[in-house]
Amino acid sequence: MASGLESAKLDLIFQSRPDIVKGIRQAADSPARIKLFNDIAGFVYDQLNGSQNEEPAQKRRRVDNEPSRNGQASNGEAASSDVAREDVLLEIKDISVSIPQRKKFDLCFTAGHLYARLPGTNTPAPGIIFPWRSIEYAFFLPVPEKSQVQHNYVLLPQNSYFPSQPAAATPVDPLVFTIPATAPKPGSIGGRNANAASAVSDTYSDLFHWAINKCLQAGGKQVQIVAADPSKFHSVLRQPHRPKEQALHVRAFRGSKDGFLFFLENGIVWGFKKPLMFLPLDKIAAISYTNVLQRTFNMVVEIFTGGGVDEEGVEETEEIEFAMLDQEDYNGINENYVARHQLQDRSLADQRKAKQELIENSKGRKGAGDGGQDANGDASNDGMTELQRARQEAEQQLQDEEDEDEEDYDPGSEGDSEGSGTSDDDDDDDDDAAGDEEDEAEDDE
């Protein structure tokens, strides 16, 4: 009897309360009750959509805000209904999603979209609908600091990952979900291609790699899933939870938020908190280092903004700073990543080398920072990295300042000090005079 219910509206209105929807379906045992429930659903639906345009933006319901992040209509229901009518090729249940929403969803693959829906529902969750044609990058990255091996799939649609976006671009959220290193649970795979998927379901990663690649290729996207490769980059620090495994991340801060950097073959990912960031290699102008301390340093990534050129004809750039990286990871970052990808190292650039310039000036070789040359124009060949050299120079500067303080310090009284200084000068003058007389006597002979 419940088949006459307007299930799409009920699922949408009560998306966070599937128990209510279940109760309505059980109670809809007569035409009169079905009509009553449909009238209620229609009224609430109209109220939500009719009043939201009049309310202040900060008071609008989250169910309206989330879809707009992914470029859908302001209310999102029409797009959700269209996607819900697409044939579900594959459904994988009980997947932990962390972005855009932190919740367990069923992930559904259609020919045109990847979307999430709440368990027991048949409509896409607002804000978690991704057209395959919009996906620009895909990553498969280990989840740090977990006792059990887990991986995140990161799918980045257009306008979801780069910190500098065109003014006209509408920001959207990426999709990040987590899988364990196990096989899918029995009964967790559905859809028209469930039988074909079972052949590649030894692990969750096998299943998702197969499904994502298949849908991307069918949609005409030449996007490959990029994984962190320990042979190309890994941290030298041991993981406390799994010390026998190499860590493929470096802990870093963006402002007050802590996260993890992944140095990949096509760029740098910082995650896994909002706003997740990806810096493609072809958008990186330079990588440099600041705030070099005994245990940590900061890494500054200068990126091309794509906003035109400045007055001097140089393409505009923006700096993204990651703080508190462990100094033990410097060599791996600088040698195995920056040098290997031929990224320009600007650690001695004018805007970030004030201390180094003071040291160089005091040593009479101000130009050393420009080309790695000493005062005679010879290339520096001390075998030290830029980070080690910056540390040494900073320590040397402190030592020079201490020496200057010691030279200025006068333990005696003012009168004694002046007398002592005058006496020394007079002795020097007498010695010089005596030397001149001896030279004149030799000339006379």
Side-chain angles (χ1 to χ4, degrees), residues 6-321:
E6 295 184 4
S7 298
K9 287 184 179 180
L10 287 171
D11 291 336
L12 181 64
I13 294 168
F14 300 108
Q15 61 171 328
S16 61
R17 294 293 304 274
D19 56 314
I20 294 179
V21 178
K22 183 179 180 181
I24 290 174
R25 286 173 177 163
Q26 292 176 347
D29 54 4
S30 68
R33 288 189 174 184
I34 292 175
K35 183 179 183 303
L36 174 63
F37 289 136
N38 285 341
D39 290 342
I40 294 173
F43 175 78
V44 175
Y45 176 87
D46 292 338
Q47 287 294 309
L48 289 176
N49 290 279
S51 61
Q52 282 174 350
N53 292 331
E54 302 172 0
E55 292 177 353
Q58 64 269 24
K59 293 184 178 180
R60 293 179 185 172
R61 290 172 55 87
R62 184 179 182 85
V63 85
D64 174 67
N65 285 338
E66 288 293 346
S68 64
R69 287 281 295 166
N70 283 349
Q72 301 173 32
S74 60
N75 56 26
E77 283 80 18
S80 298
S81 300
D82 292 341
V83 174
R85 285 192 288 268
E86 294 181 6
D87 189 16
V88 176
L89 304 177
L90 182 67
E91 178 186 15
I92 306 175
K93 299 178 180 179
D94 295 326
I95 300 299
S96 296
V97 176
S98 56
I99 300 177
Q101 300 178 31
R102 185 174 294 275
K103 192 179 294 186
K104 278 201 170 184
F105 290 97
D106 298 341
L107 294 184
C108 299
F109 295 71
T110 72
H113 295 83
L114 170 63
Y115 66 86
R117 64 188 183 191
L118 290 168
T121 66
N122 55 14
T123 56
I128 318 183
I129 303 173
F130 298 87
W132 291 113
R133 66 177 183 275
S134 73
I135 304 298
E136 295 187 343
Y137 294 97
F139 300 104
F140 180 69
L141 304 173
V143 181
E145 301 179 357
K146 297 290 185 180
S147 57
Q148 300 295 324
V149 177
Q150 296 179 347
H151 284 81
N152 277 339
Y153 279 94
V154 181
L155 301 184
L156 302 180
Q158 187 179 12
N159 300 327
S160 70
Y161 57 88
F162 197 60
S164 180
Q165 298 287 358
T170 301
V172 299
D173 285 322
L175 174 63
V176 181
F177 60 91
T178 306
I179 61 164
T182 59
K185 299 176 182 178
S188 63
I189 301 175
R192 195 177 71 185
N193 293 341
N195 290 335
S198 63
V200 290
S201 298
D202 291 339
T203 63
Y204 272 108
S205 61
D206 289 341
L207 173 61
F208 274 106
H209 267 63
W210 172 80
I212 293 173
N213 284 329
K214 189 177 182 66
C215 289
L216 286 173
Q217 292 170 6
K221 298 292 291 185
Q222 301 300 317
V223 177
Q224 299 295 324
I225 300 174
V226 176
D229 187 348
S231 66
K232 295 181 179 179
F233 179 85
H234 64 271
S235 172
V236 298
L237 301 177
R238 288 189 175 184
Q239 299 187 85
H241 298 85
R242 302 196 303 273
K244 294 183 179 180
E245 296 181 20
Q246 291 178 327
L248 303 183
H249 65 275
V250 174
R251 175 180 284 276
F253 282 78
R254 277 281 293 142
S256 61
K257 289 187 177 182
D258 64 326
F260 307 98
L261 288 169
F262 294 87
F263 296 88
L264 308 174
E265 63 185 51
N266 59 345
I268 301 172
V269 170
W270 186 81
F272 292 101
K273 296 179 180 178
K274 289 185 178 182
L276 187 143
M277 188 182 301
F278 174 59
L279 307 176
L281 283 180
D282 59 1
K283 295 289 187 180
I284 297 176
I287 291 181
S288 56
Y289 312 99
T290 64
N291 291 358
V292 180
L293 304 177
Q294 184 176 3
R295 297 182 181 275
T296 63
F297 67 98
N298 292 3
M299 183 180 75
V300 178
V301 182
E302 186 179 356
I303 59 172
F304 296 111
T305 62
V309 296
D310 59 19
E311 296 177 354
E312 299 178 355
V314 179
E315 187 173 353
E316 293 181 358
T317 61
E318 176 185 344
E319 290 187 346
I320 308 296
E321 185 170 18

Side-chain angles (χ1 to χ4, degrees), residues 384-401:
M384 292 191 297
T385 64
E386 295 291 349
L387 188 67
Q388 293 169 334
R389 189 177 296 108
R391 244 180 84 187
Q392 185 186 62
E393 291 176 349
E395 292 172 355
Q396 182 62 44
Q397 183 183 11
L398 293 175
Q399 184 62 45
D400 291 344
E401 292 172 354

Side-chain angles (χ1 to χ4, degrees), residues 388-424:
Q388 293 169 334
R389 189 177 296 108
R391 244 180 84 187
Q392 185 186 62
E393 291 176 349
E395 292 172 355
Q396 182 62 44
Q397 183 183 11
L398 293 175
Q399 184 62 45
D400 291 344
E401 292 172 354
E402 291 177 359
D403 293 343
E404 290 176 2
D405 291 340
E406 290 176 359
E407 291 174 2
D408 294 338
Y409 175 66
D410 186 357
S413 64
E414 182 176 356
D416 293 341
S417 175
E418 290 177 355
S420 175
T422 303
S423 176
D424 291 341

